[in-house]
Amino acid sequence: MTTGRRLLNYALAYKKLIIAALVMLTISVVTDLAGPFIAKSVIDQHILGIESTWYETAKSQKAVHFNGKYYKREKYLSEIDQKGKQVSILQVGTKFVFIDDGIQFDGKRSIKNETLIIKKGSEQAEYKARILKGPELLAFYQPEIPGILKLLAIYFGLLVVSAIFQFGERFVLKKSANRIIQKMREDVFGQIQRLPIQYFDNLPAGKVVARITNDTEAIRELYVTVLATFFTSVIYITGIYAALFILNAKLAAICLLLLPLLYLWMIIYRKYASKYNRIIRSRNSEINAMINESIQGMSIIQAFNREKQSKEEFENLNHGHFKYQNKLLNLNALTGHNLVGILRNLVFVAFIWYFGAQALLPANVISLGILYAFVDYINRLFQPVQGIVNQLANLEQALVAGERVFTLMDEAGEDVSEERIPRIKGNVAFENVSFGYKEGEYVLNNINFQAKPGETIALVGHTGSGKSSIMNLLFRFYDCQQGKILIDGKDIKSYPRQTIRDHMGIVLQDPYLFTGSIASNVSLDDPWITREKVEKALKDVGAEKVFKHLENGFDEPVIEKGSTLSSGQRQLISFARALAFNPAILILDEATSSIDTETEALIQEAMDVLMKGRTTFIIAHRLSTIRNAHQILVLDRGSIVEMGNHDELMAAKGKYYQMYQLQQGGHGLAG
């Protein structure tokens, strides 16, 4: 399905609102476009209408008193009016003259010594004329004033109606656009929750954020501004062409040539603009990714004096973004306003040529009202054309942004399962498990072991030996390529990921805290974790002693990542979080390595209580903390090289023995 079609499908979810907006838009356009027709009537029927045929009559309504007699326009004569001698009022230059007779034909007019001369080809007629002075001319206009005021009142009323419906259309359309983007952002964020962990291994967080924020904001502009402009422009253009055909079908047909020219230009523009916008959006994501990375690692950047290098790297990215923004700007500048100006001039040339040719034909009389209406409509025609041209850049940005968003949404994910199962016993078995983060590059090879319910399994080994990979597989952040992992005798892949994780808890070496409070970071706002459970978990891990000096106690605010707390305090909160969820399988990934000796002593007893009745996996650097483990797995280059309890492994005097002796001798162990 194309990007445009998918964007349309999002819009169709709120089609009632959009249809209502389009109906209001149509009413607004129709009432607005009635203006030139009303102006034409005012000019032709009233302002220039006094040039029509007049008759001498008796005193009555709309009769004009002049030179001792009463005269009335033919249009205002009723059946009861006495129709006397025909007279004429004609305009000659800037003056109006009164002729006490009808004219035989009309043509080029001139006045000399109170004599009106009318020439038409070889014919010429002369009439005795009287030039009307200001008050006399105003008297002949008096019958027209009520009609003019009525039309002006209608015109003002239509403007008010147009403004009301235009406001309604914009409000409803923007409301629907905001709802569309709200739903899209929710869908994108929901998709992120569905994506496997390995998706984020190769995609920086800044790029993901850019797709949720910047790209969806560009799409919002599509619904709020671009589509609103396109809808308005299309309806305006349709209405203007309808009005032009009513006024003069031949000139309207000439103006139709504008549409294929505009369509051809759009094709050419999109060819280049699409390319530039893809690069611009990509550079924008890279800039966001680098900013995010720089902020996260600012302490390292400043500690190692990398400010200059970081700035240079950013400037390189920013220069690339600037370069293609300029190319797009040049494309818009060269083809946007210039194109509309050229098209406008071409249409006006055709308009002048047509009306000039018509005016030269003796049989044709072109009224000033029609001329005004045509000029007005042609000027109005280029307003929506200009609007379409101006929004093409935003349209391309939105389509490219939509393509990037839908690429993310098309990634294979897994729906969050609501399935729940009874508490598991915690019997874990790895059978011939091999796994690699990249195809063909295994980091675990033929792993076999079994953990019985309630046992503590310790994983030790140097960095890269595969300790964390085993935990990643158990938590189903990744799935193994070979072999299988069993929980209570059932393949772990047969459970939905969320279902099995309900019975697992994890404490990481570098605990992650969310913005909120200490209590909310323990419960993670799970309705099943009551305040009593939160407080009990914190007390059990000894947190009450550590946090008792805080002003708000367990409700003390926590900012992003808990940066105002010490590593030991963050670890205590993470430990209490695992305890509160009461898991059957517990994973401690270097859980005590970042805690000072005093804090470790506080939680050591709580750890013993926590691990009782649970299958616990411990990844430890300090081997002294795992002496009581039921099994110790010694890993080296992705394989288990030794297995047994502390006493058995020490008696074997193998790799574990060497590692333990090194630590006891005061040497640090890498890992």
Side-chain angles (χ1 to χ4, degrees), residues 33 38 42 54 59 108 203 214 406 408 564-565 630 637 651:
L33 291 179
I38 294 174
V42 170
W54 292 73
K59 182 179 180 180
K108 186 177 180 181
L203 189 67
N214 295 357
F406 292 133
L408 172 63
T564 58
L565 301 174
H630 296 90
R637 298 179 182 180

Side-chain angles (χ1 to χ4, degrees), residues 73-91:
R73 277 182 63 182
E74 183 178 25
K75 139 181 214 185
Y76 297 134
L77 287 172
S78 63
E79 294 180 358
I80 61 173
D81 284 328
Q82 298 177 0
K83 188 175 180 181
K85 182 181 179 183
Q86 180 181 347
V87 298
S88 300
I89 297 176
L90 299 175
Q91 183 177 6

Side-chain angles (χ1 to χ4, degrees), residues 25 89 221 244 415 453 494 501 519 522 526 531 580 588 655:
L25 174 61
I89 297 176
E221 283 300 306
L244 289 176
D415 291 333
S494 64
R501 288 171 187 164
V522 173
D526 189 320
R531 178 72 181 196
L588 304 177
K655 195 171 187 64

Side-chain angles (χ1 to χ4, degrees), residues 461-479:
H462 295 286
T463 298
S465 59
K467 305 184 299 296
S468 295
S469 296
I470 290 177
M471 298 301 97
N472 286 337
L473 293 178
L474 184 58
F475 236 89
R476 285 205 70 193
F477 291 141
Y478 302 87
D479 285 325

Side-chain angles (χ1 to χ4, degrees), residues 479-539:
D479 285 325
C480 59
Q481 284 89 359
Q482 296 179 17
K484 56 184 177 180
I485 302 171
L486 305 177
I487 292 183
D488 293 349
K490 190 174 180 180
D491 194 332
I492 195 172
K493 292 182 181 178
S494 64
Y495 295 104
R497 296 178 196 270
Q498 293 75 28
T499 302
I500 197 65
R501 288 171 187 164
D502 276 343
H503 304 283
M504 293 184 178
I506 189 168
V507 179
L508 299 173
Q509 179 180 4
D510 185 17
Y512 193 95
L513 300 186
F514 298 91
T515 301
S517 66
I518 292 173
S520 69
N521 268 283
V522 173
S523 68
L524 296 180
D525 295 324
D526 189 320
W528 295 102
I529 308 298
T530 63
R531 178 72 181 196
E532 290 74 18
K533 288 183 179 180
V534 170
E535 292 182 358
K536 185 177 185 305
L538 285 164
K539 289 176 182 177

